[in-house]
Amino acid sequence: MVSSLGGRALHPQVQRVLLALTIPLDLLQMVKARMMLAMNKGLNRQTHAQATVKMLPTYICSTPNGTGRTAQPGGRFPQLSDNTFDMPEDLMQGTGEALFDFIAQCVRQFLGDGCHSKERLPLGFVFPFSCRQTRLDKAELISWSKGFSCSDVEGKDVVQLLQLAINKQEVGELEVVALMNDTVGTMMTCSTREIPCEVALIVDKGTNSCFMADVQHVQTVEETRGRMCVNTEWGCFGDDGALDDILTPYDQHVDEESSNPGVKRFEKLVGSLYLGDVVRHALIALAAEKALFIGSNVTVLGTKGVLTTQQVVEIISSKEGMTKARMTLEALGLRPSERDCCRMQQVCRAVVSRSAALCAAGLAAILSLIRQSRGLERLMINVAVDGELYHGMPHVQLDTVTRLLAPECLVNLKLSEDGTGRGAAMVTAVALRLADQRREVNQLLAPLRLTRADLERVQALMRQEMDLGLGRETNANASVRMLPTYVRGTPDGTERGEFLALDLGGTNFRVLAVRVAEKGIQIASQIYVIPTNIMQGTGEALFDHIVDCIMDFQMKQDLKGRVLPLGFTFSFPCKQLGLDKAVLLNWTKGFSASDCVGKDVVQLLREAAQRKQVEKALNVVAVVNDTVGTMMSCGYEDPECEIGLIVGTGTNACYMEEMQNVGTVEGEQGRMCINMEWGAFGDNGCLDHLFTEFDQMVDEKTINPGKQRFEKLISGMYLGEIVRHILLALVEKGILFQDKACPTLQNRDIFKTKFLSTIEIDGLALTKVQAILWDLELQANFEECSLVREVCQTVSLRAAQLCAAGLAAVVEKMRENRGLGQLAVTVGVDGTLYKMHPCFSEHLQQTLQDLAPNCAVTFLLSEDGSGKGAALVAAVAVCGAES
Ligand code: BG6
Ligand code: GLC
């Protein structure tokens, strides 16, 4: 309120100026409400881009006395030594490089002899400008303020710029591990055991604040639980006009004179960089209206900066304020009267009080936001305050106005004592722990991260093994068997008839009835379970079970009494002696039924039929691998489909090879489909350099150790296990699930590959990941959830890349075979991992394109499994026999 001073009535002009600079309580309430609105806009994902108050995430997730993260790992920080360096004025507008070089030189000087230490020295960087942070050690400068405008820094990662400058100075092993806003550093220093400090306020050259927000309200980050410190960057509040009704003509002049007109409107009403000039413009206006300095030449007041905020503060606060006013004015060459000094003091008071009141409105907005989001009736909170202007400003006013505007909050304003330094050290210590952890994680995962050169080598090795496998002399020593299938062509559309099909060896065992007609293919099918005891029991029991299933199916489909030709997808490595003769070479994928290896599986099926006295009901005409079934099935849709690929429980591929290259079969004409059995690639040791300790552990625990080594890096039966072993290693290193028991993780196969498919879904909230882990009795926090996700991503990416390297060898060989510069070919593909994983197929295709740029490869997903393909092969066999 404007009062009269010393009994003298106020001059009307003076009264007008003071009124303009005074914000009544009801308007302050509105400012608070608008601030809350602006803050919510900044927190909201949809409106964030347009928001004036940016509410930037800082990636600081707890305060020092909270549990966990900032529990000072290196003990307390009792000793602080510091040094202040004067910064040459011209640096502020020079090049970014010069600025960072200067900082690095200061650091070097500060460290003195210590700068040659070989010990790693972590550095926390308090950088009080608006930055978009994506990690503690990654912060892109959004825009300069407070008179800084160094070139080539905006839009760049400031941490990196500083690190580069430091590296140039060769300052030992100094590493920038955390960057934080000054508000954050301040907040960190003011917590007490009883009441956490969760808000900080800086009133200095500029003004800003930060607070611990509930993460679910910070929609610009992925985390959804816990708290994160948000740097409000409230200096820009009002840049959209929200403060227009309180701006005075003096504020407009100050803004126009600034290096950034139109922006940081709130800061220009509050920060010490501006208050002196606001007072100056008010004095100019009063002088023009003859309310001040009558008879004096006031031109000097036209110069920006002649009146400093420091002086303004002295004029209002010290007992000798009036004397200070006189001295200040006289120093400017003015000859003030007693009344001039008194009026100037009133203006100064009004400007500083307004600054305090606006800060209070902002602070009240933060407090109300916190209280609301936590659903509290009353909020008790410590607020750290720092900044030169705050030290000079009437605290009582900030305190009182805040209480008036947020009466439900019990605020304890605490003056930060050692500035941001101690807070920065605390954050740095945490960052250091995280950085150490990151280093360990990287080290652990490094062998799983393949370079392009690694993949090229795999491709070349695969090609080499393919050639060995095809050669008559070399076949016996090749890990890739390259089995002839006696399938000589893909479907041509003329195939007709009704068939039975069996599909054994994937996730499901299916029996199918397939009708191939002119109008298309109709399929009826049923899934039957093969219990583990049968998979791993006797061969007789397995084939008896299969025959039982066929009989059951025939009955249900009303096919009893009809003898349909049968195509058998048998997805295991077989030496094919003809289309309907296939000798099992070995079991894979967890099967181990006795007395089958070395026998013709068609014969085993017939014998089982005999045992059941239904041999007349069965007419097996073709046995195919699932890759072949898939290729044929897709070939029916697309004649360019000459490759079959499976990435499911197991992995394998087949393709059309030139007969002249197939040394293991007589004849030179035409082509034959080759079942590569690439799952065994590397079983001769040629991939040993790739296997990690985790792969070894997984392999050792399988029923076929040392076998199917390539498959064990890629397919669904094993990826979950690889992840589990990596997680166990992380637990052992104390990086994951610290201090929490996780006995379930010891259980084999507990971590299913389908979890990878869910966990890796793009944009899946970490709470969902957490729920999956909690189901496994793993009490993961968010940091841990994202680590688990990273492990999954690393494992599945490697699988996709290896698969691509294998496929690159295949397509490149086909291209060479045909003497083509460019090959266009389609891959028919099936398998749960390929179908269900959110990014496997994309990674596979990308890597393939990179490794085989001269091949245009199309991927065609097999729709109804490989049974259809087996039926088509049967159709060709039947037609061939008839003709
Ligand atoms: C099915 C095919 O769709 O995919 C099978 O019909 C094949 O023949 C299987 O073995 C492979 O995938 P998975 O994930 O079931 O092993
Ligand atoms: C295994 C089998 C192979 C099959 C593949 C995909 O690798 O040995 O025959 O094609 O799994 O199911």
Side-chain angles (χ1 to χ4, degrees), residues 571-573 588-589 625-627 646 650-652 677 708 711:
S571 318
F572 301 93
T588 55
K589 299 181 286 195
N625 186 261
D626 52 356
T627 53
I646 300 284
T651 181
N652 190 12
E677 285 297 331
Q708 300 293 106
E711 180 159 273

Side-chain angles (χ1 to χ4, degrees), residues 503-508 510 569 571 589 626 630 646-650 830-833 835 862 864-867:
D503 185 353
L504 175 76
T507 310
N508 297 307
R510 285 200 205 99
T569 301
S571 318
K589 299 181 286 195
D626 52 356
T630 300
I646 300 284
V647 195
T649 315
D830 205 346
T832 326
L833 184 61
K835 284 183 167 165
S862 163
D864 353 72
S866 67

Side-chain angles (χ1 to χ4, degrees), residues 18-79:
L18 294 181
L19 255 181
L21 288 167
T22 308
I23 310 173
L25 194 60
D26 53 347
L27 192 49
L28 278 177
Q29 294 278 17
M30 276 164 70
V31 172
K32 172 195 164 186
R34 290 179 209 158
M35 178 69 98
M36 284 176 80
L37 218 68
M39 287 180 163
N40 278 324
K41 215 170 156 186
L43 290 170
N44 185 298
R45 193 176 304 127
Q46 259 91 41
T47 49
H48 174 79
Q50 300 91 45
T52 51
V53 181
K54 282 288 179 228
M55 308 298 273
L56 301 167
T58 64
Y59 293 82
I60 306 264
C61 295
S62 65
T63 46
N65 72 330
T67 51
R69 286 220 205 162
T70 36
Q72 309 166 10
R76 306 221 58 198
F77 299 92
Q79 285 176 354

